[in-house]
Amino acid sequence: MESDLNDYTVIKEGEAEILLHKKNQVFFNKAQVNNRDMSIAVLREFISKRKQEHEAKLSKRNRSASNVVDKDSSQASKEGTPIENGEHQVASEDPPSSASKKPEGVALRGLQPPKVLEALSASGLRALRYAREIEGIGQVVALDNDIASVEACQRNIKFNGSLAISKVESHHTDARVHMLTHPNEFDVVDLDPYGSPSIFLDSAIQSVSDGGLLMCTATDMAVLCGGNGEVCYSKYGSYPLRGKYCHEMALRILLASIESHANRYKRYIVPVLSVQMDFYVRVFVRVYTSASAMKNTPLKLSYVYQCIGCDSFHLQPVGRSLPKNNSVRYLPAIGPVVAQECNHCGKKYNMGGLIWSAPIHDQEWVTSILNSVKSMKDRYPAYDRIYAELVDVPLFLSLHNLCATLKCISPSAAIFRSAVINANYRISGTHVNPLGMKTDAPMEVIWDIMRCWVKNHPIKAQAPELPGSVILSKEPSHQVDFSRHVGSLSKAQAKKVARFLPNPEKHWGPKLRAGRQITSKHVSLIGHEAVNGHLTQHHEELKEEEEAVQEDNTQEELDAKRLKTTEDIASTS
């Protein structure tokens, strides 16, 4: 083993350690430490919530049983009460009715530790961290379809000692087949593929238990953000738009796709946390089974109309609901929500979607997770970037894009926020973009704010057909107050806490797929030094192989000469 260790590098993250082969045989990306930290924080919260929900259900069942027993006791006391004339009422000799028995299901089975499936485990680092760092976690099943990855995972399980050996198991199998053949078995399913998760979603939805947690990562951001709209539609059933909000739209496209797969099995999702960071999106959703609740899905999905001339966008819901007596009637939504041309600049619209337009976070979960993370920052190798945003406002505006449309200087974020708040609307930043602003103010109010700003800060005359000129040609219909509002600064800004931090090291981003040969075209991913080092090592290995071949050839020539000499001597004699 000591000689084998020379070919490996020991990587420590959290409380887990793995052996990483120097030849990139098994995929590992250090930048995903934020992803793994966040997943551990959410899993801790899920275990806590799951326990609370179980206790609440148990308490409700016990109260129900207690009411039944009290009712039976009251009835029995009436039947056996002595009568004033000294006679007694004879109690029935029939066996007790089923109503007097303890109702079935009152005693819920003990809550078992959650069973976790890591569908694409690679080195097994994520599964090992789950097992070693999360209290109350059950068995962790790590799968991979690559034999080298499975061998690496099994090696790392042994390397991490008895706790890992007892809790983590590794299998060489197709994750899709395993999930399809184990329906409703796992309380937590974690999908973190290299690229798109689309081919795993259908089987993952079937594998997670009712009320379970599905954690899903997508790294194909070029596709989700509009680089290849037709490819996105084929994978996720949605057409992306290339706006400033494209990364948040990517989140919402992924959620809509998961919901679509869930609906096929009378299930639906409830997002608890959804984030875009670094080079990927990551969503955490609870999965429930209910044919009636599933009918609300069209109310949570929308198409997006994006003006090609200015930053205006509008959402077109898919469905609507109306109260009918004691029930709800579901109807198609009324539309379109926009005219053929933009009301503000007169240009046409692009249409994208479907997207998830309901909240992408559960505020109670987020608050609890943040409190938990703050209380034990030392247990997270990468302390998460914290920021609050409006959870019920889909997508966002870019202040710089608004100013670019009008070709004016930009107001400070605090001044713009103050104007929105003074107009009695809400506004916040977004975790996706440092310049993004989420607000429930309609576009009419936003452009009126910008018109008033330009009046106070005049610009040069522009061509009349430009979108900015058309917008500024209209008089404001709202009074705008730019006086500084106390709520114009976020809590992070007020405390001068950095939110969008620089990368901790160079080339912090996506890495090569395992097994690929490193060439000079990979400089942008791993840097000149790494590429040169690998190429030098590769050349040295080739040189050693050539020398070994030459030695073999030389030896073969010598052996041939010896054999010929022996044959000559034999023939002479």
Side-chain angles (χ1 to χ4, degrees):
M1 184 68 179
E2 290 181 1
S3 60
D4 291 340
L5 282 176
N6 293 330
D7 296 329
Y8 296 93
T9 302
V10 178
I11 303 294
K12 179 175 175 59
E13 185 179 290
E15 296 181 15
E17 291 182 326
I18 63 169
L19 297 170
L20 187 66
H21 201 280
K22 295 178 180 179
K23 291 186 177 180
N24 190 38
Q25 292 180 335
V26 178
F27 183 77
F28 167 75
N29 190 354
K30 184 178 180 180
Q32 290 280 40
V33 61
N34 297 288
N35 186 320
R36 291 183 282 268
D37 282 354
M38 184 168 49
S39 301
I40 288 172
V42 174
L43 257 180
R44 287 193 177 115
E45 183 63 21
F46 171 71
I47 292 174
S48 175
K49 293 283 185 187
R50 184 169 173 263
K51 183 179 179 181
Q52 293 173 14
E53 291 167 359
H54 178 79
E55 291 174 349
K57 189 180 293 185
L58 188 63
S59 176
K60 183 179 179 180
R61 294 281 181 90
N62 288 338
R63 284 198 303 270
S64 175
S66 177
N67 292 338
V68 172
V69 172
D70 290 345
K71 185 177 180 181
D72 281 356
S73 299
S74 176
Q75 184 68 24
S77 63
K78 289 180 181 178
E79 293 174 353
T81 302
I83 304 177
E84 288 183 358
N85 60 9
E87 297 178 358
H88 291 75
Q89 182 175 349
V90 180
S92 171
E93 295 182 0
D94 293 337
S97 65
S98 59
S100 64
K101 295 179 182 179
K102 191 173 183 179
E104 294 183 5
V106 167
L108 293 173
R109 68 178 180 87
L111 185 64
Q112 300 297 316
K115 189 175 182 180
V116 180
L117 174 69
E118 189 191 1
L120 304 133
S121 61
S123 65
L125 175 59
R126 186 184 299 264
L128 290 167
R129 287 196 62 189
Y130 289 168
R132 292 180 63 91
E133 298 181 36
I134 302 175
E135 293 181 13
I137 200 166
Q139 197 70 11
V140 182
V141 180
L143 309 178
D144 208 290
N145 207 23
D146 175 54
I147 188 64
S149 296
V150 175
E151 291 173 353
C153 185
Q154 292 172 348
R155 180 168 55 245
N156 291 327
I157 291 172
K158 294 177 183 178
F159 190 68
N160 279 268
S162 58
L163 178 62
I165 293 172
S166 65
K167 283 197 171 186
V168 184
E169 56 184 76
S170 177
H171 300 286
H172 178 221
T173 183
D174 188 321
R176 294 167 294 182
V177 175
H178 191 89
M179 290 187 287
L180 286 172
T181 52
H182 294 77
N184 297 300
E185 181 171 323
F186 297 97
D187 301 292
V188 180
V189 173
D190 192 335
L191 295 177
D192 189 13
Y194 190 100
S196 172
S198 59
I199 61 173
F200 302 101
L201 294 179
D202 197 80
S203 50
I205 281 291
Q206 298 178 66
S207 182
V208 68
S209 62
D210 189 24
L213 181 69
L214 173 61
M215 308 187 288
C216 181
T217 302
T219 61
D220 55 334
M221 295 302 290
V223 170
L224 283 166
C225 291
N228 300 95
E230 68 284 357
V231 177
C232 183
Y233 188 82
S234 68
K235 290 184 176 182
Y236 300 98
S238 180
Y239 211 97
L241 296 175
R242 301 186 69 176
K244 274 293 183 182
Y245 51 66
C246 63
H247 293 93
E248 182 179 331
M249 191 173 187
L251 273 174
R252 295 181 179 275
I253 287 174
L254 178 57
L255 288 172
S257 181
I258 297 174
E259 175 78 348
S260 174
H261 285 281
N263 288 168
R264 296 164 199 174
Y265 305 100
K266 297 181 180 179
R267 312 190 95 178
Y268 67 98
I269 66 170
V270 176
V272 296
L273 181 64
S274 308
V275 297
Q276 185 278 323
M277 59 194 306
D278 295 334
F279 53 91
Y280 59 88
V281 291
R282 176 82 162 164
V283 297
F284 303 83
V285 301
R286 300 286 297 273
V287 180
Y288 296 97
T289 304
S290 172
S292 58
M294 186 189 68
K295 295 178 181 179
N296 288 312
T297 292
L299 310 181
K300 306 172 188 175
L301 303 175
S302 298
Y303 291 98
V304 183
Y305 288 97
Q306 170 70 58
C307 175
I308 63 175
C310 64
D311 253 13
S312 302
F313 66 85
H314 305 271
L315 299 184
Q316 170 68 68
V318 173
R320 59 191 173 102
S321 63
L322 293 175
K324 183 181 179 183
N325 299 328
N326 294 327
S327 63
V328 178
R329 185 183 180 191
Y330 295 94
L331 298 168
I334 297 174
V337 293
V338 295
Q340 285 288 322
E341 296 178 347
C342 177
N343 293 333
H344 308 292
C345 71
K347 300 295 183 180
K348 299 289 186 181
Y349 286 99
N350 283 333
M351 190 180 81
L354 289 168
I355 68 165
W356 178 272
S357 53
I360 60 176
H361 312 294
D362 183 301
Q363 194 60 52
E364 182 183 347
W365 273 69
V366 173
T367 302
S368 184
I369 290 170
L370 292 181
N371 291 336
S372 174
V373 170
K374 289 176 184 177
S375 66
M376 45 183 173
K377 288 189 286 188
D378 57 322
R379 297 185 67 175
Y380 294 92
Y383 181 52
D384 199 11
R385 296 169 288 191
I386 300 171
Y387 192 64
E389 63 184 30
L390 295 176
V391 298
D392 57 342
V393 177
L395 309 182
F396 59 86
L397 297 168
S398 168
L399 181 57
H400 285 197
N401 269 35
L402 295 174
C403 295
T405 299
L406 302 181
K407 302 188 185 304
C408 67
I409 63 172
S410 175
S412 68
I415 290 177
F416 185 81
R417 286 168 178 260
S418 296
V420 174
I421 296 172
N422 291 332
N424 295 322
Y425 293 100
R426 297 177 300 150
I427 188 169
S428 77
T430 170
H431 79 279
V432 173
N433 189 316
L435 302 175
M437 293 189 179
K438 283 180 168 290
T439 178
D440 57 356
M443 287 306 303
E444 290 79 5
V445 173
I446 298 299
W447 286 125
D448 275 355
I449 291 173
M450 295 307 299
R451 289 185 185 105
C452 293
W453 171 258
V454 171
K455 282 190 174 183
N456 297 331
H457 302 79
I459 62 173
K460 295 180 180 179
Q462 306 291 334
E465 68 274 8
L466 292 178
S469 300
V470 176
I471 292 171
L472 293 175
S473 66
K474 302 174 183 179
E475 287 296 319
S477 57
H478 297 83
Q479 293 292 329
V480 178
D481 180 6
F482 287 107
S483 59
R484 183 65 66 92
H485 193 279
V486 67
S488 62
L489 293 179
S490 67
K491 292 181 180 179
Q493 289 171 321
K495 296 179 180 179
K496 296 184 179 180
V497 176
R499 295 185 297 110
F500 294 89
L501 305 175
N503 291 333
E505 59 185 46
K506 289 183 177 181
H507 311 292
W508 186 264
K511 297 292 184 252
L512 290 176
R513 190 185 293 271
R516 281 191 178 176
Q517 183 177 344
I518 296 174
T519 65
S520 57
K521 69 179 183 180
H522 298 128
V523 169
S524 62
L525 291 179
I526 61 177
H528 288 281
E529 294 180 1
V531 168
N532 293 336
H534 281 285
L535 292 179
T536 302
Q537 182 181 356
H538 182 61
H539 289 319
E540 290 176 353
E541 291 174 355
L542 288 177
K543 187 176 180 181
E544 290 175 0
E545 290 177 3
E546 290 175 359
E547 291 175 352
V549 170
Q550 289 177 358
E551 289 179 2
D552 291 341
N553 292 338
T554 304
Q555 187 64 41
E556 288 176 1
E557 290 175 0
L558 291 173
D559 292 341
K561 287 181 180 179
R562 289 193 189 101
L563 180 61
K564 185 178 180 182
T565 303
T566 305
E567 290 175 350
D568 291 342
I569 293 172
S571 62
T572 303
S573 62

